[in-house]
Amino acid sequence: MSSYDSSAISQVRALRTPGGVQAVVVTLQGEVDLQHSPAVRQQLIDEAGKRPGRLVVDLSAVNYMDSSGVASLVETLQRVRGYGGELILVNPTARVRSIFEIARLDRIFRILTDLGEAMGE
Amino acid sequence: MTSRSAAAPVMVRILSDPKYLCVARSAAERFCTLAGLDAASSHAVGLALDEALANVIRHGYEGRCNQPIHIEFDRVEPGPEGPDPALRIRIRDYGCQVDASAINPRDLDELRPGGLGVHIMRSVMDEIRWRRRGLTGMELEMTKRIAPSAGSAGGCGQERS
C-alpha cells in the first residue's frame, strides 16, 4: 500500500461546549477513499484515544467517501461508545450521506446538519 | 448470440495503487452520463466500481500497488440478455483466485468496520458476477439497467453547427 496520505484531514480543534463538555472537532475534506482513509482512521483513533466527551467529525467539505472511510468512522464510533463518549457527524453532502443510507448506518450514527448544534450552542 | 453494443467500449488500465481509484471513478461517472444514466446513478456506479477495485487491491493483489487492473465500460442495447439498455463494467485482474460463491455481503445488523463493499456493489448494480479467468485472476462483470426514458447514448453534449 502507499504511505498514509493525510490530505483529507483539514483541521483538528479541541474545544469546550457551552455546557463544559470537552470536545474535539475533526474537519475532513476532499475524497475519503482507500487512498486517504488510513490517515483519517489513524487521526480519528488518536483523537478517540484522548477520550473527549464529544468527538465531532465535520464532513461538509468531503465530496466523496467509500466504505473504507465509513469503516474508519464505525471503528471510531465503537471506541468512543466504549468509554461513554459521543460521536457526531456533521453536515455530510447528499452523496456522502447516500453511502450511510446504503449501508443502513444513517440510523446508527448521530448525524446533524449544523456544527453549532453539534457543539450544543 | 450476444447483444449489440451501441458504441465502442471504453477501456481504462490502472495499476493497483489506491491513488488511481479517483481516475477510475471519474471515468466511470463520465461514461455513465454518456450512456444515459442520471447524475445520482452515475455517482453510485462510480462508488460500486471503487468498491470493486478496492477489493481487487486488498484481496486479489494483497495490497501490492504495481499490479495491472483492466476496466472496460460498455453500453449494451436491448437484446436476448434483457429488454432494456444497460451499462456493463468488466474488471479483470491477475491476482489471487477465489471461489465466486464465497463472495457474499455481510449481515448489516452487525455493527463492525469493514465488509460493506460487496453490499454496496449489490445495492447499486442490478447484476454482479465473478468468475475465474485462466490460471490467474478474476473477472467481475457488473450490469446496471438504463431506464428507457433516459437520454440516448453516445452524445457529447454538443451539436454540430
Coordinates of all heavy atoms in Angstrom, one line a residue, chain A residues 1-2 31 33-35 63-68 70-72 74-75 77-78 81 95-96 98-99 102-105 107-109, chain B residues 17-19 21-22 25 29 39 43 46-47 50-51 54 57-58 63-65 108-109 111-114 116-117 119-120 123-124:
Chain A
M1 N 0.8 -1.2 0.0 CA 0.0 0.0 0.0 C 0.9 1.3 0.0 O 2.0 1.2 0.4 CB -0.9 0.0 1.3 CG -2.0 -1.0 1.3 SD -3.4 -0.6 0.2 CE -4.5 -1.9 0.5
S2 N 0.3 2.3 -0.5 CA 1.0 3.6 -0.4 C 1.2 4.1 1.0 O 0.4 3.6 1.9 CB 0.2 4.7 -1.2 OG 0.1 4.3 -2.5
E31 N -11.7 13.7 -0.8 CA -12.1 12.3 -1.1 C -11.6 11.4 -0.1 O -10.4 11.2 0.0 CB -11.7 11.9 -2.5 CG -12.3 12.8 -3.6 CD -12.0 12.4 -5.0 OE1 -10.8 11.8 -5.2 OE2 -12.8 12.5 -5.9
D33 N -11.2 8.0 0.4 CA -11.3 6.6 -0.2 C -10.1 5.8 0.3 O -9.5 6.2 1.3 CB -11.3 6.7 -1.7 CG -10.1 7.4 -2.3 OD1 -9.1 7.7 -1.5 OD2 -10.0 7.6 -3.5
L34 N -9.9 4.7 -0.3 CA -8.8 3.8 0.2 C -7.4 4.5 0.2 O -6.6 4.1 1.0 CB -8.7 2.5 -0.7 CG -7.9 1.4 -0.3 CD1 -8.4 0.8 1.1 CD2 -7.9 0.3 -1.3
Q35 N -7.3 5.5 -0.6 CA -6.0 6.3 -0.6 C -5.9 7.1 0.7 O -4.8 7.2 1.2 CB -6.0 7.2 -1.9 CG -4.9 8.2 -1.9 CD -3.5 7.7 -2.1 OE1 -3.3 6.5 -2.3 NE2 -2.5 8.5 -2.1
N63 N -16.4 15.5 -0.5 CA -17.2 15.3 -1.6 C -17.3 13.8 -2.1 O -18.1 13.5 -3.0 CB -16.8 16.2 -2.8 CG -15.3 16.0 -3.1 OD1 -14.8 14.9 -3.1 ND2 -14.6 17.1 -3.3
Y64 N -16.5 13.0 -1.4 CA -16.7 11.6 -1.8 C -16.2 10.7 -0.6 O -15.2 11.1 0.1 CB -15.8 11.2 -3.0 CG -15.9 9.8 -3.4 CD1 -16.9 9.3 -4.1 CD2 -14.9 8.8 -2.9 CE1 -17.1 7.9 -4.5 CE2 -15.1 7.5 -3.2 CZ -16.1 7.1 -4.0 OH -16.2 5.7 -4.3
M65 N -16.9 9.6 -0.3 CA -16.4 8.7 0.7 C -16.8 7.3 0.3 O -17.9 7.1 -0.2 CB -17.1 9.0 2.1 CG -16.6 8.1 3.2 SD -17.3 8.5 4.8 CE -16.4 10.0 5.2
D66 N -15.9 6.3 0.5 CA -16.3 5.0 0.1 C -16.3 4.1 1.4 O -16.3 4.7 2.5 CB -15.3 4.4 -0.9 CG -13.9 4.1 -0.3 OD1 -13.7 4.3 0.9 OD2 -13.0 3.8 -1.1
S67 N -16.5 2.8 1.3 CA -16.7 2.0 2.5 C -15.5 2.0 3.4 O -15.6 1.7 4.6 CB -17.1 0.6 2.1 OG -16.0 -0.1 1.5
S68 N -14.3 2.3 2.9 CA -13.1 2.3 3.8 C -13.2 3.5 4.7 O -12.8 3.5 5.9 CB -11.8 2.3 3.0 OG -11.6 3.6 2.3
V70 N -16.1 4.9 5.6 CA -17.2 4.6 6.6 C -16.7 3.6 7.6 O -17.0 3.8 8.8 CB -18.4 3.9 5.8 CG1 -19.4 3.4 6.7 CG2 -19.0 4.9 4.8
A71 N -15.8 2.7 7.3 CA -15.3 1.7 8.2 C -14.5 2.5 9.3 O -14.5 2.1 10.5 CB -14.4 0.7 7.5
S72 N -13.7 3.5 8.9 CA -13.0 4.3 9.9 C -13.9 4.9 10.9 O -13.6 5.0 12.1 CB -12.2 5.4 9.2 OG -11.3 4.8 8.2
V74 N -17.0 3.9 11.7 CA -17.6 2.8 12.5 C -16.6 2.4 13.6 O -17.0 2.3 14.8 CB -18.0 1.6 11.6 CG1 -18.4 0.4 12.5 CG2 -19.1 2.0 10.7
E75 N -15.4 2.2 13.3 CA -14.4 1.9 14.3 C -14.3 2.9 15.4 O -14.2 2.7 16.6 CB -13.0 1.6 13.7 CG -12.0 1.1 14.7 CD -10.7 0.8 14.0 OE1 -10.6 0.8 12.8 OE2 -9.7 0.4 14.8
L77 N -16.6 5.1 16.2 CA -17.9 5.1 16.9 C -17.8 4.0 18.0 O -18.2 4.3 19.2 CB -19.0 4.8 16.0 CG -20.4 4.6 16.7 CD1 -20.8 6.0 17.3 CD2 -21.4 4.2 15.7
Q78 N -17.3 2.9 17.7 CA -17.2 1.8 18.7 C -16.3 2.2 19.8 O -16.6 1.9 21.0 CB -16.7 0.5 18.0 CG -17.7 -0.1 17.1 CD -17.2 -1.3 16.3 OE1 -16.1 -1.3 15.9 NE2 -18.0 -2.3 16.2
R81 N -18.0 5.1 21.9 CA -19.1 4.5 22.8 C -18.5 3.7 23.9 O -19.0 3.6 25.0 CB -20.0 3.6 21.9 CG -21.0 4.4 21.1 CD -21.9 3.5 20.3 NE -22.9 4.2 19.6 CZ -23.8 3.6 18.8 NH1 -23.8 2.3 18.6 NH2 -24.7 4.3 18.2
R95 N -24.3 13.1 -1.4 CA -23.6 12.0 -2.0 C -22.9 11.2 -0.8 O -22.9 9.9 -0.9 CB -22.5 12.4 -3.0 CG -23.1 12.9 -4.3 CD -22.0 13.2 -5.3 NE -22.5 13.3 -6.6 CZ -21.7 13.3 -7.7 NH1 -20.4 13.2 -7.6 NH2 -22.3 13.3 -8.9
V96 N -22.3 11.9 0.1 CA -21.7 11.1 1.2 C -22.8 10.5 2.1 O -22.6 9.3 2.5 CB -20.8 12.1 2.1 CG1 -20.4 11.4 3.3 CG2 -19.6 12.6 1.2
S98 N -25.5 9.3 1.2 CA -26.1 8.2 0.5 C -25.4 6.9 0.8 O -26.0 5.8 0.9 CB -26.1 8.4 -1.0 OG -24.8 8.3 -1.6
I99 N -24.1 6.9 1.1 CA -23.4 5.6 1.4 C -23.8 5.2 2.8 O -23.9 4.0 3.0 CB -21.9 5.8 1.2 CG1 -21.2 4.4 1.4 CG2 -21.3 6.7 2.2 CD1 -19.8 4.3 1.0
I102 N -27.1 3.5 2.2 CA -27.0 2.2 1.6 C -26.6 1.2 2.6 O -27.0 0.0 2.6 CB -26.0 2.3 0.4 CG1 -26.5 3.1 -0.8 CG2 -25.6 0.9 -0.1 CD1 -25.5 3.4 -1.9
A103 N -25.6 1.6 3.4 CA -25.1 0.7 4.5 C -26.0 0.6 5.7 O -25.7 -0.1 6.7 CB -23.7 1.1 4.9
R104 N -27.1 1.3 5.7 CA -28.1 1.4 6.8 C -27.4 1.9 8.1 O -27.8 1.5 9.2 CB -28.7 0.1 7.0 CG -29.6 -0.4 5.8 CD -30.2 -1.7 6.1 NE -30.4 -2.5 4.9 CZ -30.6 -3.8 4.9 NH1 -30.6 -4.5 6.0 NH2 -30.8 -4.4 3.8
L105 N -26.4 2.8 7.9 CA -25.7 3.3 9.1 C -26.3 4.7 9.4 O -25.8 5.3 10.5 CB -24.2 3.4 8.8 CG -23.5 2.0 8.8 CD1 -22.1 2.2 8.2 CD2 -23.5 1.4 10.2
R107 N -29.0 5.3 10.6 CA -29.8 5.1 11.8 C -28.9 4.8 13.0 O -29.3 4.8 14.1 CB -30.7 3.9 11.6 CG -31.8 4.2 10.6 CD -32.6 3.0 10.2 NE -31.8 1.9 9.6 CZ -32.2 0.8 9.2 NH1 -33.5 0.4 9.3 NH2 -31.4 -0.1 8.5
I108 N -27.6 4.5 12.7 CA -26.7 4.2 13.8 C -25.9 5.4 14.3 O -25.7 5.7 15.5 CB -25.7 3.1 13.4 CG1 -26.4 1.9 12.9 CG2 -24.7 2.8 14.5 CD1 -27.2 1.2 13.9
F109 N -25.4 6.2 13.3 CA -24.7 7.4 13.6 C -25.7 8.6 14.0 O -26.8 8.7 13.4 CB -23.8 7.9 12.4 CG -22.6 7.1 12.3 CD1 -22.6 6.0 11.4 CD2 -21.4 7.4 13.0 CE1 -21.4 5.2 11.2 CE2 -20.3 6.6 12.8 CZ -20.3 5.5 11.9
Chain B
D17 N -2.8 0.7 -7.3 CA -2.4 1.7 -6.3 C -3.7 2.5 -6.0 O -4.3 3.0 -6.9 CB -1.3 2.6 -6.9 CG -0.7 3.5 -5.8 OD1 -1.5 4.1 -5.0 OD2 0.5 3.6 -5.7
P18 N -4.0 2.6 -4.7 CA -5.3 3.4 -4.4 C -5.3 4.8 -4.9 O -6.4 5.4 -5.1 CB -5.2 3.4 -2.8 CG -4.4 2.2 -2.5 CD -3.4 2.0 -3.5
K19 N -4.1 5.4 -5.3 CA -4.2 6.7 -5.8 C -4.8 6.8 -7.1 O -5.2 7.9 -7.6 CB -2.8 7.3 -5.8 CG -1.8 6.8 -6.8 CD -0.5 7.4 -6.7 CE 0.5 6.8 -7.7 NZ 1.9 7.3 -7.5
L21 N -7.7 5.2 -7.9 CA -9.1 5.0 -7.8 C -9.9 6.2 -8.2 O -11.0 6.0 -8.9 CB -9.5 4.7 -6.3 CG -9.0 3.3 -5.8 CD1 -9.4 3.2 -4.3 CD2 -9.6 2.2 -6.6
C22 N -9.4 7.4 -8.0 CA -10.1 8.6 -8.4 C -10.2 8.7 -9.9 O -11.2 9.2 -10.4 CB -9.5 9.8 -7.7 SG -7.8 10.1 -8.2
R25 N -12.9 6.2 -11.0 CA -14.3 6.7 -10.6 C -14.7 7.8 -11.6 O -15.8 7.8 -12.1 CB -14.3 7.3 -9.2 CG -14.2 6.3 -8.1 CD -14.6 7.0 -6.8 NE -13.8 8.1 -6.4 CZ -12.7 8.0 -5.7 NH1 -12.3 6.9 -5.2 NH2 -12.0 9.1 -5.3
E29 N -18.0 7.7 -14.0 CA -19.1 8.6 -14.0 C -19.3 9.3 -15.3 O -20.5 9.5 -15.7 CB -18.8 9.7 -12.9 CG -18.9 9.1 -11.5 CD -19.0 10.2 -10.4 OE1 -19.6 11.2 -10.7 OE2 -18.5 9.9 -9.3
A39 N -27.3 11.8 -12.9 CA -26.1 12.1 -12.1 C -26.0 11.3 -10.9 O -24.9 10.8 -10.5 CB -26.1 13.6 -11.8
H43 N -23.0 8.6 -10.1 CA -22.2 8.6 -8.9 C -22.2 7.3 -8.2 O -21.2 6.8 -7.7 CB -22.6 9.7 -8.0 CG -21.9 9.7 -6.6 ND1 -20.6 10.1 -6.5 CD2 -22.3 9.3 -5.4 CE1 -20.3 10.0 -5.2 NE2 -21.3 9.5 -4.6
G46 N -20.0 4.8 -9.9 CA -18.6 5.1 -9.6 C -18.2 4.6 -8.2 O -17.1 4.0 -8.0
L47 N -19.2 4.6 -7.3 CA -18.9 4.1 -5.9 C -18.8 2.5 -6.0 O -17.9 2.0 -5.4 CB -20.1 4.5 -5.0 CG -20.1 3.9 -3.6 CD1 -18.9 4.3 -2.8 CD2 -21.4 4.3 -2.8
D50 N -15.5 1.7 -7.4 CA -14.5 2.0 -6.4 C -14.4 0.8 -5.4 O -13.3 0.3 -5.1 CB -14.9 3.3 -5.7 CG -13.9 3.6 -4.6 OD1 -13.8 2.9 -3.6 OD2 -13.2 4.6 -4.7
E51 N -15.5 0.3 -5.0 CA -15.5 -0.8 -4.0 C -15.0 -2.1 -4.7 O -14.2 -2.8 -4.0 CB -17.0 -1.1 -3.5 CG -17.6 0.1 -2.8 CD -16.9 0.5 -1.5 OE1 -16.1 -0.4 -1.0 OE2 -17.1 1.6 -0.9
A54 N -11.2 -1.6 -4.9 CA -10.6 -1.7 -3.6 C -10.5 -3.2 -3.2 O -9.5 -3.6 -2.6 CB -11.4 -0.9 -2.6
I57 N -7.5 -4.7 -5.0 CA -6.3 -4.2 -4.4 C -6.0 -4.9 -3.1 O -4.9 -5.4 -2.9 CB -6.3 -2.7 -4.2 CG1 -6.3 -2.0 -5.6 CG2 -5.1 -2.2 -3.4 CD1 -6.6 -0.5 -5.5
R58 N -7.0 -5.0 -2.3 CA -6.8 -5.5 -0.9 C -6.7 -7.1 -0.9 O -5.9 -7.6 -0.2 CB -7.9 -5.1 0.0 CG -7.8 -3.6 0.4 CD -8.7 -3.3 1.6 NE -10.1 -3.2 1.1 CZ -11.0 -2.5 1.6 NH1 -10.8 -1.7 2.6 NH2 -12.3 -2.5 1.2
G63 N -2.6 -6.0 -1.4 CA -2.0 -4.7 -1.1 C -0.9 -4.3 -2.0 O -0.3 -3.2 -1.9
R64 N -0.5 -5.1 -2.9 CA 0.6 -4.7 -3.9 C 0.1 -3.7 -4.8 O -1.0 -3.8 -5.4 CB 1.1 -6.0 -4.6 CG 2.0 -6.9 -3.8 CD 2.3 -8.2 -4.6 NE 1.1 -9.0 -4.6 CZ 0.8 -9.8 -5.6 NH1 1.5 -9.9 -6.6 NH2 -0.3 -10.6 -5.5
C65 N 0.9 -2.6 -5.0 CA 0.4 -1.4 -5.7 C 0.8 -1.3 -7.2 O 0.5 -0.4 -7.9 CB 1.0 -0.2 -5.0 SG 0.4 0.1 -3.4
L108 N -25.8 -6.7 7.8 CA -25.7 -5.3 8.2 C -26.2 -5.0 9.6 O -25.9 -3.9 10.1 CB -26.5 -4.4 7.2 CG -26.0 -4.4 5.8 CD1 -26.9 -3.4 5.0 CD2 -24.6 -4.0 5.7
D109 N -26.9 -6.0 10.2 CA -27.3 -5.7 11.6 C -26.1 -5.8 12.6 O -26.2 -5.4 13.7 CB -28.3 -6.8 12.0 CG -29.6 -6.5 11.3 OD1 -29.9 -5.3 10.9 OD2 -30.4 -7.5 11.1
L111 N -22.8 -4.4 13.7 CA -22.0 -3.2 13.6 C -20.5 -3.4 13.8 O -20.0 -3.7 14.9 CB -22.5 -2.2 14.7 CG -21.8 -0.8 14.7 CD1 -22.1 -0.1 13.4 CD2 -22.2 0.0 15.9
R112 N -19.8 -3.4 12.7 CA -18.4 -3.6 12.7 C -17.8 -2.9 11.5 O -18.5 -2.8 10.4 CB -18.0 -5.0 12.8 CG -18.3 -5.9 11.6 CD -17.8 -7.2 11.7 NE -18.2 -8.1 10.7 CZ -17.6 -8.3 9.5 NH1 -16.5 -7.5 9.2 NH2 -18.0 -9.1 8.6
P113 N -16.5 -2.4 11.6 CA -15.9 -1.8 10.4 C -15.6 -2.9 9.4 O -15.3 -4.0 9.7 CB -14.6 -1.2 11.0 CG -14.4 -1.9 12.3 CD -15.7 -2.4 12.8
G114 N -15.7 -2.5 8.1 CA -15.3 -3.3 7.0 C -16.5 -4.2 6.6 O -17.5 -4.4 7.2
L116 N -18.4 -3.9 3.9 CA -19.6 -3.3 3.3 C -19.5 -3.2 1.8 O -20.5 -3.0 1.1 CB -19.7 -1.8 3.9 CG -20.1 -1.7 5.3 CD1 -20.0 -0.2 5.7 CD2 -21.5 -2.3 5.6
G117 N -18.3 -3.4 1.2 CA -18.1 -3.2 -0.2 C -19.0 -4.0 -1.1 O -19.6 -3.5 -2.0
H119 N -21.9 -5.4 -0.3 CA -23.2 -5.0 -0.1 C -23.5 -3.7 -1.0 O -24.6 -3.6 -1.6 CB -23.5 -4.7 1.4 CG -24.8 -4.0 1.6 ND1 -26.0 -4.6 1.6 CD2 -25.1 -2.7 1.8 CE1 -27.0 -3.8 1.7 NE2 -26.5 -2.6 1.9
I120 N -22.6 -2.8 -0.9 CA -22.7 -1.6 -1.7 C -22.8 -1.9 -3.2 O -23.7 -1.4 -3.9 CB -21.6 -0.6 -1.4 CG1 -21.7 0.0 0.0 CG2 -21.6 0.6 -2.4 CD1 -20.5 0.7 0.5
S123 N -26.1 -3.4 -4.0 CA -27.2 -2.4 -3.8 C -27.3 -1.5 -5.1 O -28.4 -1.1 -5.5 CB -27.0 -1.6 -2.6 OG -27.1 -2.4 -1.4
V124 N -26.2 -1.1 -5.6 CA -26.1 -0.2 -6.7 C -26.4 -0.8 -8.1 O -27.2 -0.3 -8.9 CB -24.8 0.5 -6.7 CG1 -24.6 1.4 -8.0 CG2 -24.6 1.4 -5.5

